[in-house]
Amino acid sequence: MTELMVNNANNAHPLHQPPAERGRRASRRRFLTVFGTAAVGMPLLGACGAVPDRPAVAADRKGPMGGAQPRVQASQAASPGREVKRTSFPITAVGLTWTGSPRGVRLRLIDRNGKPGAWQKVTAGCPCAKDPETARTKSTTPPNRALVPAHGSYGYQVDVDSGVKVIDAIAIDAGTSGTKGRPATAATPSNSAASGTGGAPAFPPAGVALRADWGADETKRFTADSSESSPTRFTRAQAITVHHTATPLDDPDPAATVRAIYEQHAVSNDWGDIGYNFLIDRQGVVYEGRFSGTDGIPAHNARDEVVTGFHTFAFNPGNIGIALLGDFSKEKPSTPMRASLVGLTASLAALHKLDPLTGITYTSPTSGKSTPGPALGGHRDWTSTECPGSAAYLDLSAVRESAAKLVR
Ligand SMILES: [Zn+2]
């Protein structure tokens, strides 16, 4: 096994460093890491059909929340059902992207000793994506995506139904978060009726975990030549759309999951950043998503325009994406999560003068196309998908009512 690992010992936040230093660190993303592969009861894939491992970074820095920054091995599952991918680090999650049936993929994890676990069905999560006008790869529909928890495994294997093609597979070590600096309380709208002070809720609500708080490695937004992979674009807010991540509800380290999603979106999908504008965990902690500047105001510029994320294919500009961490196909959001969703959507609705109870006509600033939709809705209101899960979707009408009461 040959490894060329990048060990980045600098603890300073990249945004606190001069541009030259940020660029130097960004370029490290391009170093190649080569890991060996081993078969477990199956023949190794030959050179024919194998896709070379992609550039990857391993970093051992401490994150702002006290845990390690994410480190990553990226590898293509060139031959599902035959090839076993092994890593030299414990895997937090395996990110998968595929075309074909959303239910046509299975995965099994490999432990430290090379012993495979049971095959598990992979559930496709939110099919978030860049808009076709801004994506480097043009497509008419986004592929299926999933983030499968790996519980510190050291490898994985993928099997698929006929007609399914795995586009990308990535093993992610997102580190552990620790408790130092972790936001402990749910985000609540400040200056709001809920707090007894009257008036519309202010934005941002109290308690939002900014990118530095959850350990976003800002170098991942830059290319080797120090330019932003996806430069920020801002536009007038028109809608708020709720998603779910289809990850387990009993997540022991939601901040690590946010980092893993960031890794999958920014690097594996090559979007240059996390696709959502906000994420909320079961404790009600709200996480800042897509980068919008360094002023501490999430998702917006100084003119209160919203940064374009990558979450609702063809309807991203002006559409604020909020992802609930977990799978809400059958379970409703927890009480703290729901309270934070209400508080966040109320403060956004007040800021942008949106009525959570009404419909809007969304007009894409890039394509000019107009489409009717809800001011506060779910991903499935805009496209054919199960996101944000049936239980969360059914609960949205009550969320709208509660948010509207706070705004009025
Ligand atoms: Zn979604």
Side-chain angles (χ1 to χ4, degrees), residues 75-159:
S75 58
Q76 297 281 350
S79 181
R82 296 171 60 200
E83 187 177 18
V84 172
K85 282 290 181 185
R86 299 283 297 275
T87 65
S88 64
F89 54 78
I91 307 171
T92 305
V94 176
L96 293 169
T97 306
W98 72 95
T99 57
S101 170
R103 302 174 192 276
V105 175
R106 291 162 296 283
L107 175 142
R108 65 177 176 179
L109 300 166
I110 312 296
D111 73 12
R112 191 168 206 156
N113 301 316
K115 187 181 172 193
W119 286 103
Q120 55 180 297
K121 222 169 173 48
V122 175
T123 305
C126 165
C128 49
K130 271 192 163 186
D131 279 4
E133 291 84 2
T134 53
R136 286 173 197 155
T137 306
K138 306 293 180 195
S139 63
T140 53
T141 54
N144 304 295
R145 302 184 200 283
L147 193 67
V148 184
H151 315 296
S153 296
Y154 281 78
Y156 66 96
Q157 190 177 12
V158 177
D159 190 24

Side-chain angles (χ1 to χ4, degrees), residues 126-128 242-244 276 311-312 379 385 387-388:
C126 165
C128 49
V242 177
H243 304 260
H244 76 157
Y276 306 111
H311 54 91
T312 304
H379 194 172
T385 174
C387 183

Side-chain angles (χ1 to χ4, degrees), residues 76-348:
Q76 297 281 350
S79 181
R82 296 171 60 200
E83 187 177 18
V84 172
K85 282 290 181 185
R86 299 283 297 275
T87 65
S88 64
F89 54 78
I91 307 171
T92 305
V94 176
L96 293 169
T97 306
W98 72 95
T99 57
S101 170
R103 302 174 192 276
V105 175
R106 291 162 296 283
L107 175 142
R108 65 177 176 179
L109 300 166
I110 312 296
D111 73 12
R112 191 168 206 156
N113 301 316
K115 187 181 172 193
W119 286 103
Q120 55 180 297
K121 222 169 173 48
V122 175
T123 305
C126 165
C128 49
K130 271 192 163 186
D131 279 4
E133 291 84 2
T134 53
R136 286 173 197 155
T137 306
K138 306 293 180 195
S139 63
T140 53
T141 54
N144 304 295
R145 302 184 200 283
L147 193 67
V148 184
H151 315 296
S153 296
Y154 281 78
Y156 66 96
Q157 190 177 12
V158 177
D159 190 24
V160 300
D161 291 346
S162 63
V164 168
K165 184 183 178 194
V166 175
I167 299 170
D168 201 48
I170 181 172
I172 302 169
D173 175 4
T176 51
S177 300
T179 54
K180 189 182 174 186
R182 178 186 286 185
T185 56
T188 52
S190 52
N191 186 31
S192 74
S195 62
T197 55
F203 181 86
V208 175
L210 300 179
R211 292 171 64 93
D213 296 324
W214 56 261
D217 181 350
E218 300 294 353
T219 63
K220 295 181 187 299
R221 296 190 295 104
F222 293 85
T223 60
D225 64 359
S226 302
S227 61
E228 279 185 287
S229 300
S230 291
T232 51
R233 297 166 193 237
F234 295 87
T235 186
R236 177 179 65 86
Q238 302 181 54
I240 302 166
T241 299
V242 177
H243 304 260
H244 76 157
T245 57
T247 48
L249 289 165
D250 56 346
D251 189 340
D253 190 345
T257 301
V258 174
R259 292 195 294 272
I261 294 169
Y262 176 42
E263 186 66 44
Q264 187 183 28
H265 288 188
V267 181
S268 180
N269 297 351
D270 199 22
W271 297 344
D273 203 351
I274 192 166
Y276 306 111
N277 297 105
F278 296 95
L279 304 94
I280 306 178
D281 72 17
R282 65 176 171 156
Q283 302 295 337
V285 176
V286 175
Y287 300 81
E288 177 186 24
R290 169 80 165 121
F291 177 82
S292 64
T294 58
D295 58 3
I297 306 297
H300 296 78
N301 64 10
R303 295 188 298 276
D304 287 340
E305 294 167 322
V306 67
V307 67
T308 299
F310 326 119
H311 54 91
T312 304
F313 188 71
F315 304 99
N316 282 321
N319 195 346
I320 303 169
I322 303 172
L324 304 176
L325 287 165
D327 187 334
F328 300 97
S329 305
K330 294 174 181 156
E331 299 254 351
K332 279 187 181 178
S334 68
T335 300
M337 173 183 270
R338 194 172 178 284
S340 286
L341 178 61
V342 169
L344 177 61
T345 52
S347 65
L348 288 166

